[in-house]
Amino acid sequence: MSNKAVSYAGAGKVEVIDIDYPEFELKDGPGVNPANVGRRVDHGVILKVVASNICGSDQHMVRGRTTAPEGLVLGHEITGEVVEVGRDVEFIKKGQLCSVPFNIACGRCRNCKERKTGICLNVNPDRPGSAYGYVDMGGWVGGQAEYVLVPYADWNLLPFPDKDQAMEKVLDLTMLSDIFPTGFHGAVSAGVEVGSTVYIAGAGPVGLAAAMGAQLLGAAVVIVGDLNAERLKQARSFGCETVDVSQGNPKDQIEQLLGVPEVDCGIDAVGFEARGHGKNAETEQPATVLNSLMEITRAGGALGIPGLYVTGDPGAADEAAREGSLSLNFGLGFSKSHVFVTGQCPVMKYHRGLMQAILHDKAPIAKAVNATAIPLDDAPRGYADFDSGVAKKFVLDPHGMIRS
């Protein structure tokens, strides 16, 4: 059976290629850890991919800002229909429509049992934590494809209760695989509660998801900062205040909005390719967001950091940043007793509750992030448009099931 997929083809390039149809065994290939080759996956299922989204963290790889090998099949935001069930799968059934957490987790290790599924100890021989189609994450084949293998299916998959209802809301539900839980996790980690004032750095899809998450948690004011006017307009479309950081330090604009130059909660939805503020807005300064969040978050507040930071960045501006070392004003954070929460979102901690919010019309996340379905063959254009800064979240539709 054919299986087209999107692969990284070198800095600035992606290609749609033919790859093998999945089997219940990990094969060798670009990015696959040698210790995972030959690993049996009888606990897995094969999905017919209904939706697989282009993510900002994919863009880091495509820009050549990681050590991702050429030929790596991309895609960790997956929603699909079960078409084959492995021998050891007990509860997931053929025909179910399911959301796939981007974290691959075994359900058996200490971290999984403590709901820390973003740092599972058993699925990646290199380090804790794994994901589909991502550099240094064990080599599990990505889901920007027609078909994909999902391991530990009984544990990992979130089946939707009604397939027809789910297809009606599939553009919302596809956000459950990553950005909605990730943004929500940023808001939870930052301590957002009823009446909070919140500043979110970054108006890309994760920042917008964090904004909606903060609204769900009862924030009084949600402020989103960015350099991109179109993305700031998208944030305002669902009730956020905005700050244009190209005009200078966000603290001054926050004071104009709130009457004080600080917020209760800060969220970094930018990550390691951050730029400066004001006259330095076109210069990459990877510590800018974290340092500004420490400045504007009140003493005793918290910083949720769902923005991606890496240990290897060959395109960084200096030697330290190439290894993930940033010039942080950590003394300021210490003096203000800030809490910092970093790392991959443990998607399974949130996705069922957020699914319920979507199904019961409490969270129109697709509208908030301007979800836009495109054919799999249009993936190179989608990557290029997303990289140019358009205020859209591109959803790949391999089988035409969304558009039909």
Side-chain angles (χ1 to χ4, degrees):
M1 189 178 295
S2 68
N3 189 20
K4 291 194 296 185
V6 181
S7 75
Y8 171 58
K13 295 187 294 183
V14 298
E15 294 177 346
V16 179
I17 63 172
D18 291 315
I19 64 170
D20 291 336
Y21 184 82
E23 299 179 29
F24 293 106
E25 179 180 316
L26 272 183
K27 306 292 186 179
D28 198 6
V32 179
N33 189 293
N36 265 349
V37 175
R39 185 171 181 164
R40 291 295 306 172
V41 193
D42 296 312
H43 43 67
V45 300
I46 295 170
L47 295 184
K48 178 181 181 180
V49 177
V50 173
S52 186
N53 316 329
I54 297 175
C55 181
S57 52
D58 294 324
Q59 289 285 20
H60 294 305
M61 289 188 291
V62 172
R63 291 184 190 121
R65 297 298 298 269
T66 72
T67 55
E70 292 186 19
L72 183 74
V73 174
L74 302 168
H76 57 271
E77 300 190 10
I78 308 163
T79 303
E81 179 186 359
V82 178
V83 292
E84 290 189 46
V85 177
R87 181 195 65 197
D88 298 335
V89 175
E90 188 172 359
F91 304 112
I92 295 293
K93 305 301 180 186
K94 186 175 178 180
Q96 286 184 305
L97 185 65
C98 303
S99 179
V100 185
F102 80 89
N103 324 107
I104 300 173
C106 71
R108 295 151 166 81
C109 70
R110 173 181 176 175
N111 285 346
C112 283
K113 290 178 179 179
E114 293 177 359
R115 301 184 77 190
K116 300 172 184 174
T117 53
I119 43 174
C120 173
L121 300 174
N122 286 333
V123 286
N124 182 0
D126 280 332
R127 63 181 73 175
S130 188
Y132 304 86
Y134 213 84
V135 59
D136 295 332
M137 288 293 180
W140 298 86
V141 177
Q144 289 176 11
E146 293 178 301
Y147 298 92
V148 68
L149 171 70
V150 174
Y152 302 102
D154 282 327
W155 168 252
N156 281 305
L157 288 175
L158 174 68
F160 299 131
D162 183 278
K163 190 173 180 179
D164 292 336
Q165 180 195 27
M167 282 305 299
E168 290 176 5
K169 291 182 176 289
V170 69
L171 280 177
D172 296 287
L173 294 170
T174 189
M175 304 305 161
L176 293 173
S177 56
D178 182 356
I179 67 160
F180 198 12
T182 292
F184 191 78
H185 177 61
V188 170
S189 301
V192 178
E193 57 187 11
V194 173
S196 295
T197 57
V198 185
Y199 177 71
I200 300 165
V206 170
L208 298 175
M212 175 155 283
Q215 291 174 341
L216 279 173
L217 291 166
V221 184
V222 179
I223 305 168
V224 181
D226 205 292
L227 302 160
N228 184 312
E230 186 181 350
R231 288 182 170 183
L232 291 174
K233 180 180 178 182
Q234 185 66 28
R236 289 192 294 272
S237 74
F238 61 101
C240 301
E241 302 287 348
T242 57
V243 161
D244 181 352
V245 298
S246 70
Q247 302 302 308
N249 193 318
K251 179 175 72 172
D252 301 327
Q253 297 174 68
I254 288 169
E255 185 171 19
Q256 292 172 13
L257 290 166
L258 300 179
V260 292
E262 66 177 20
V263 293
D264 298 321
C265 313
I267 301 172
D268 174 5
V270 178
F272 73 102
E273 289 191 64
R275 299 187 180 278
H277 296 154
K279 66 180 184 299
N280 296 315
E282 296 306 315
T283 305
E284 190 167 303
Q285 298 182 11
T288 297
V289 168
L290 290 170
N291 286 332
S292 69
L293 285 173
M294 284 186 270
E295 183 180 13
I296 63 181
T297 302
R298 69 174 179 85
L303 275 61
I305 309 172
L308 178 68
Y309 289 87
V310 295
T311 55
D313 175 9
D318 58 62
E319 197 61 42
R322 289 187 186 101
E323 299 177 354
S325 297
L326 309 181
S327 298
L328 296 181
N329 189 0
F330 194 72
L332 176 61
F334 181 91
S335 71
K336 296 176 78 172
S337 295
H338 283 155
V339 172
F340 297 79
V341 180
T342 66
Q344 288 186 33
C345 165
V347 169
M348 293 175 70
K349 187 174 180 179
Y350 306 107
H351 66 174
R352 185 174 298 277
L354 294 175
M355 175 188 73
Q356 291 289 87
I358 289 170
L359 292 177
H360 293 281
D361 300 320
K362 298 297 188 293
I365 184 65
K367 184 177 180 181
V369 301
N370 196 15
T372 304
I374 61 174
L376 186 73
D377 286 335
D378 285 356
R381 176 180 61 82
Y383 270 93
D385 288 352
F386 189 34
D387 195 48
S388 74
V390 298
K392 294 181 179 180
K393 173 69 172 177
F394 288 106
V395 178
L396 299 178
D397 180 13
H399 297 278
M401 297 174 72
I402 301 172
R403 288 164 293 134
S404 64

